[in-house]
Amino acid sequence: MTDIARLLGAEAETLLEHQCQTFRKEDLYLPGPDFIDRVMSENDRSPHVLRNMQTLYNHGRLAGTGYLSFLPVDQGIEHSAGASFAPNPLYFDPKNIVELAIEGGCNGVASTLGVLSSVARRYAHKIPFMLKLNHNETLTYPAIYDQTLFAQVEQAHDMGCVAVGATIYFGSPESRRQIQEISEAFERAHELGMVTVLWSYLRNPAFKHEGTDYHVASDLTGQAIHMAATLKADIVKQKLPENNGGYRAVGFGHTHDKVYDELTSDNPVDLARYQVANCFMGRAGLINSGGGSKGHSDLGEAVRTAVINKRAGGMGLISGRKAFQKPMNEGVELLNAIQDVYLSPEVTLA
């Protein structure tokens, strides 16, 4: 098993021993083997959706725990294939993306229409597929920052996917259109029995203020998460909070002093718990993203994110570039280290 405390270094005590005094863990709907019976059975999802959610829970090294570990690879569109796969050209071939998810013990693999459809008959029955429906792309010049539908929900269903994913850039000028598109897509996905996952990101130049990037503020990401849950996302993907006070800094929108005085603190676990609270107190699962690859620090950063997510009451991690932009054996090691956090009885809820 991974030496979690060693990888956390000087932060080990701060992250592993902290006890939340903001939202009590007893008031949250927490992940567990019985999450579908205990929590999802109260919502309006069909038996087909519940079965596919259980399929995700039953796969990989985290099977039976109620936690999730995903490999997402849509960067070939989002960041260009060259920028994404040149560090390890093996992954220009979609089969190796799926093989990494299988060898890495993931609950599922998320990717583009082209990637998954090109190998669906070989792999859709071996590991749960999640089709990412929309993307930004970086070939357009001048650059625009919008999410465009690349696929239809029916295409995901026809290739055997158990889930669909999508991104909304909340706060962007295009967000109202994206909200409408994805609301309709998620409703259709539920009709066809698939789980829905929303990449709930912020995008607005005003969120960068006086040298601080509040796109990763706990209060602002919390509101984006709340809107994702409102759109009936079964699982919400969000970046781990790095700061707080975004509403106060940008000077627009609505907040309350109690958000900062009572419902959050400076501890990273408390900042992430505020995200969980905005997932309807955990009725929708929070998975945090692993972020970009920085090389030698990737393993420690991935384990740190997993510890914070688990202790806050989150449902897991979705990590891509840290895993696939290195040799496959090292990518497997990183994915397994993330999973070891959720398997460890020593990493408890705060």
Side-chain angles (χ1 to χ4, degrees):
M1 294 289 285
T2 303
D3 189 341
I4 296 168
R6 179 184 64 80
L7 288 170
L8 294 176
E11 284 192 292
E13 183 176 354
T14 298
L15 297 181
L16 292 174
E17 302 300 328
H18 176 72
Q19 293 300 312
C20 288
Q21 303 299 319
T22 55
F23 293 91
R24 302 188 316 151
K25 60 186 176 185
E26 292 82 5
D27 294 331
L28 301 176
Y29 299 91
L30 296 168
D34 62 342
F35 186 82
I36 291 176
D37 292 331
R38 177 169 43 87
V39 181
M40 291 193 72
S41 62
E42 296 185 2
N43 66 35
D44 68 351
R45 309 308 190 261
S46 72
H48 298 290
V49 175
L50 302 186
R51 181 189 62 199
N52 279 328
M53 179 68 90
Q54 193 66 55
T55 298
L56 290 171
Y57 282 146
N58 286 349
H59 197 85
R61 293 183 72 231
L62 296 182
T65 65
Y67 290 106
L68 299 170
S69 167
F70 288 110
L71 176 72
V73 186
D74 61 352
Q75 289 85 353
I77 301 299
E78 296 276 346
H79 302 286
S80 91
S84 301
F85 303 136
N88 190 353
L90 189 73
Y91 294 109
F92 276 102
D93 186 342
K95 78 178 179 65
N96 291 315
I97 293 172
V98 182
E99 287 286 350
L100 174 60
I102 293 172
E103 293 299 317
C106 293
N107 298 74
V109 58
S111 197
T112 67
L113 176 65
V115 166
L116 294 182
S117 66
S118 69
V119 294
R121 290 187 183 275
R122 181 172 179 178
Y123 289 110
H125 59 295
K126 296 181 179 178
I127 185 170
F129 275 14
M130 180 197 310
L131 176 62
K132 184 71 163 32
L133 297 172
N134 65 355
H135 308 283
N136 188 28
E137 55 84 23
T138 57
L139 199 58
T140 299
Y141 184 84
I144 59 173
Y145 300 97
D146 193 5
Q147 288 285 325
T148 302
L149 287 168
F150 273 56
Q152 298 176 355
V153 173
E154 288 78 6
Q155 291 173 293
H157 180 262
D158 290 346
M159 76 169 78
C161 293
V162 305
V164 297
T167 298
I168 293 177
Y169 285 152
F170 290 107
S172 72
E174 300 81 16
S175 64
R176 296 294 181 91
R177 190 205 79 245
Q178 294 168 14
I179 288 169
Q180 183 175 358
E181 287 177 351
I182 301 312
S183 176
E184 294 171 358
F186 277 11
E187 188 63 23
R188 180 59 176 150
H190 282 148
E191 289 175 358
L192 293 174
M194 290 180 287
V195 176
T196 57
V197 185
L198 189 63
W199 277 239
S200 187
Y201 287 165
L202 298 172
R203 185 61 62 89
N204 191 316
F207 294 158
K208 292 184 178 181
H209 183 72
E210 295 184 352
T212 300
D213 188 355
Y214 291 102
H215 286 92
V216 287
S218 183
D219 56 347
L220 293 177
T221 59
Q223 180 58 23
I225 287 167
H226 189 80
M227 288 193 282
T230 299
L231 291 170
K232 295 177 66 173
D234 300 310
I235 300 168
V236 182
K237 176 189 177 186
Q238 182 55 268
K239 297 177 181 179
L240 198 70
E242 297 179 14
N243 53 53
N244 204 5
Y247 274 113
R248 289 174 167 176
V250 303
F252 65 92
H254 305 282
T255 189
H256 194 286
D257 288 343
K258 285 183 68 173
V259 171
Y260 314 100
D261 299 339
E262 299 180 23
L263 301 181
T264 58
S265 79
D266 291 335
N267 189 284
V269 177
D270 285 347
L271 295 179
R273 179 152 293 182
Y274 187 73
Q275 291 184 331
V276 173
N278 276 281
C279 285
F280 295 167
M281 295 295 276
R283 288 181 182 270
L286 173 70
I287 56 174
N288 287 122
S289 55
S293 176
K294 298 178 183 177
H296 69 281
S297 64
D298 284 351
L299 183 61
E301 290 176 3
V303 166
R304 179 183 185 273
T305 303
V307 167
I308 294 169
N309 174 272
K310 182 182 180 182
R311 299 212 71 225
M315 192 170 279
L317 216 61
I318 180 164
S319 185
R321 282 170 287 174
K322 280 181 166 59
F324 73 76
Q325 288 187 334
K326 49 177 56 70
M328 186 172 287
N329 64 318
E330 294 180 19
V332 169
E333 179 186 7
L334 184 137
L335 292 169
N336 288 170
I338 290 169
Q339 295 150 12
D340 285 347
V341 171
Y342 296 97
L343 293 171
S344 172
E346 298 175 1
V347 181
T348 58
L349 287 158

